[in-house]
Amino acid sequence: MLGSSVVMAAETGADAKPGASAVEDQGPSEFHDQPIVVEGYLLLPTDAAQDEYRVRMFDTESSFILKLSDEQKDWARQCGQEPIKVQGTYKDGGIVEVGRLAHWYLDDVAWQMVCECNRYRQSHGLRPLQPARDLLYTAHQHTWNMRHRYGFRHGGTSGWSAENIAAGQPNASSVTNTWYNSGGHRANMLNPNYSYIGVGYYNGMWTQQFR
């Protein structure tokens, strides 16, 4: 997996002009065709004819060109210039051939929270819940606020129909099992009228929001 030092090296290569003799003589760099994860802000095309999507890394002006499928472009246009997480394959020239594109709030732990909830729903013959951008944001914010501002309580922000919170569980599987074994929390998880979910975690605090 490409680390930060590799990212900087890759970015140095991103400015090389196509056809430059140094590139021709050296061949592909050691980073070419390597897996890469980039977190940053999505940059939409400024010129419709150019159709160039980029991700600018947090706290820097460095960016990568994203090679997206048509479906991924549709998702990107809906996402706007929000923080995202990109997983894919690095190509010389500062290009990322994107495999997975997700909201920054939907990292590996958050995704596991979604999957764990949907696993219980599937066992009851219910359709899976889809992560919603606004709920991911509000669940993340509420979880952070419980730790740093107002303590363990419900409230969060508007936009959701039901909310589960917890504190102290070690991982996504454990906290989801805790909710499932509590009647009121389980009712929220298994409500057949809900279609969307947002999740958040921060330093031992956990949140699910449903709509």
Side-chain angles (χ1 to χ4, degrees), residues 189-209:
M189 289 172 55
L190 302 182
N191 190 318
N193 297 318
Y194 295 150
S195 300
Y196 302 101
I197 187 173
V199 297
Y201 72 95
Y202 184 83
N203 197 14
M205 297 289 191
W206 305 86
T207 302
Q208 288 177 322
Q209 294 178 349

Side-chain angles (χ1 to χ4, degrees), residues 119-126 180 186 190:
R119 181 170 64 85
Y120 286 109
R121 288 178 64 88
Q122 183 180 22
S123 70
H124 288 266
L126 298 170
Y180 183 76
R186 182 172 62 249
L190 302 182

Side-chain angles (χ1 to χ4, degrees), residues 92-108:
D92 284 344
I95 300 169
V96 177
E97 193 173 83
V98 177
R100 181 184 174 199
L101 193 63
H103 299 289
W104 181 69
Y105 305 109
L106 191 61
D107 63 7
D108 292 343

Side-chain angles (χ1 to χ4, degrees), residues 51 68-75 77:
D51 196 35
L68 303 175
S69 67
D70 289 340
E71 183 178 357
Q72 289 169 335
K73 288 179 182 179
D74 289 341
W75 183 92
R77 284 190 288 268

Side-chain angles (χ1 to χ4, degrees), residues 22-33 92:
V23 176
E24 293 174 355
D25 293 340
Q26 295 177 5
S29 74
E30 61 181 295
F31 311 122
H32 186 71
D33 279 339
D92 284 344

